[in-house]
Amino acid sequence: MASAGESPTNSPQSNPFSTRFIQPGAISYLFPANVNAAQLVERLAKNGWWGEITGPHGSGKSTLLASLVPQLILARKQPLQVTLHNGERSLAQHGETLARADARTIVIVDGYEQLWSWNRWRLRRFCRRRQAGLIVTSHASTGLPPLYACAVDRQTAAEILKRLLPAESPVGQADLDHALAANGQNLRDALFELYDLYEQRQAK
Amino acid sequence: MIAPAITLTLHESRRVYRPGEKLSGQYYIEAVEGTETVAVEISVLWHTEGKGDEDIAVHFFDRVSQDERAVLDFRQPRVFSTVLPNSPLSYEGVLIKIRWCVRLRVFLSRGKQIVEERSFQLGEVPPARAVLP
């Protein structure tokens, strides 16, 4: 079976909850009926290309970012993305990437809340001086113009599950409901829990 | 857009190969009116699947693209061949799996792409089993 685009092919033996199938970019962000990526980029342009995406752990912030990037490129902007991990408090490791920032670029910082407030201020000043755009993700508002607030609802989670699962699967909606409840509505962690469940039930 | 029909076959119709063995196959693309095949990439690669970040490495790669000197006819079968390495061997673990495949990526006009894969097994490492509660 041929598959269009960059998505990896899911072989019959694949666990559909493997990282390669659920990571940002592998599945596109599911917007509510009245919102789409182009509208968000329009909103971003009105805000001078600055904005923040907020939401709790595993609510799809990074997935949304990945879905916005093609639209930003269509808008003739060059995204420069930095992803912060494990409580990274400064951008020292990302100087080479940020050095390329100019008026055509949008600096994207995934995990902005991890930066010390002093380093957030320095980043904002840096972007202003370079006339670059700035999009950040954070668990709570950090004072930048709000762009979108991510949240996981049962209907969205069910649709993602439907897209991931093969026709016959040892896990289903009830397992997802249970995993979401056990993981505080963190969809990423819930899907990883289903990875283990899938392996266990396949082994039977 | 109607996608062109892609045929990708391995010459030996078996699933398991041993390290050092030759793997060969062929492909051809039956274009549909209104679509143009700009380039084709064939690769033999392995990748991981599991709960961690994905690793991937390309063992064999070949790209054929249209250029101004000659118009290529991708309807004619094109053969590829490579000698498989000693490692990593295919593995069906619980936390991680190592998968080998032949991947054909077809670049069409207007930036569209189609990917076709044939998976195969390198070596015969027994699979791991999940511990049942």
Side-chain angles (χ1 to χ4, degrees), chain A residues 15-173:
Chain A
N15 185 320
F17 305 105
S18 300
T19 304
R20 70 190 313 244
F21 302 122
I22 66 171
Q23 66 191 348
I27 44 177
S28 52
Y29 189 81
L30 295 181
F31 289 99
N34 56 345
V35 186
N36 61 44
Q39 286 172 347
L40 290 189
V41 170
E42 211 173 290
R43 187 182 301 169
L44 191 68
K46 282 180 188 164
N47 288 339
W49 298 102
W50 280 38
E52 68 178 7
I53 298 167
T54 53
H57 280 292
S59 59
K61 299 185 293 296
S62 303
T63 301
L64 173 57
L65 275 182
S67 296
L68 287 182
V69 164
Q71 290 295 329
L72 292 172
I73 293 168
L74 280 177
R76 299 177 185 278
K77 289 290 179 182
Q78 187 187 354
L80 294 178
Q81 184 158 349
V82 165
T83 302
L84 302 176
H85 296 287
N86 304 323
E88 230 178 314
R89 301 295 187 195
S90 84
L91 290 162
Q93 303 290 322
H94 307 282
E96 204 174 311
T97 303
L98 294 174
R100 304 201 305 270
D102 60 26
R104 292 165 302 177
T105 59
I106 303 263
V107 174
I108 299 174
V109 180
D110 193 4
Y112 181 71
E113 78 283 342
Q114 295 173 75
L115 292 174
W116 292 119
S117 54
W118 165 246
N119 286 330
R120 290 185 208 167
W121 178 82
R122 287 179 67 194
L123 174 67
R124 295 195 300 270
R125 187 184 63 168
F126 172 82
C127 289
R128 266 195 299 270
R129 285 184 173 175
R130 297 276 180 120
Q131 296 180 303
L134 177 64
I135 306 176
V136 305
T137 69
S138 177
H139 294 145
S141 177
T142 57
L144 269 70
L147 182 61
Y148 195 76
C150 294
V152 176
D153 59 59
R154 186 175 186 271
Q155 192 183 347
T156 305
E159 179 57 31
I160 290 169
L161 185 71
K162 198 172 132 191
R163 292 183 183 200
L164 288 171
L165 288 181
E168 288 186 25
S169 169
V171 302
Q173 182 63 45

Side-chain angles (χ1 to χ4, degrees), chain B residues 23-120:
Chain B
L23 176 142
S24 62
Q26 66 177 30
Y27 62 87
Y28 57 90
I29 300 149
E30 291 174 75
V32 174
E33 198 176 332
T35 63
E36 185 193 354
T37 302
V38 177
V40 170
E41 290 177 355
I42 183 88
S43 47
V44 178
L45 59 94
W46 63 266
H47 63 84
T48 60
E49 275 182 34
K51 291 176 82 172
D53 290 342
E54 181 187 21
D55 273 335
I56 185 168
V58 176
H59 170 67
F60 167 84
F61 178 81
D62 186 39
R63 179 183 169 94
V64 183
S65 58
Q66 302 281 12
D67 62 27
E68 291 170 356
R69 288 165 296 176
V71 177
L72 298 171
D73 184 359
F74 289 104
R75 292 172 301 179
Q76 298 302 316
R78 290 175 181 276
V79 174
F80 61 91
S81 171
T82 186
V83 174
L84 294 167
N86 291 329
S87 67
L89 301 178
S90 300
Y91 178 62
E92 281 293 312
V94 175
L95 288 178
I96 191 170
K97 303 167 200 307
I98 299 174
R99 295 267 159 74
W100 278 89
C101 70
V102 177
R103 179 178 291 172
L104 182 69
R105 190 182 295 278
V106 179
F107 296 85
L108 303 171
S109 48
R110 287 183 287 184
K112 301 283 183 189
Q113 291 182 34
I114 300 177
V115 178
E116 181 84 3
E117 288 186 358
R118 290 287 170 273
S119 58
F120 66 92

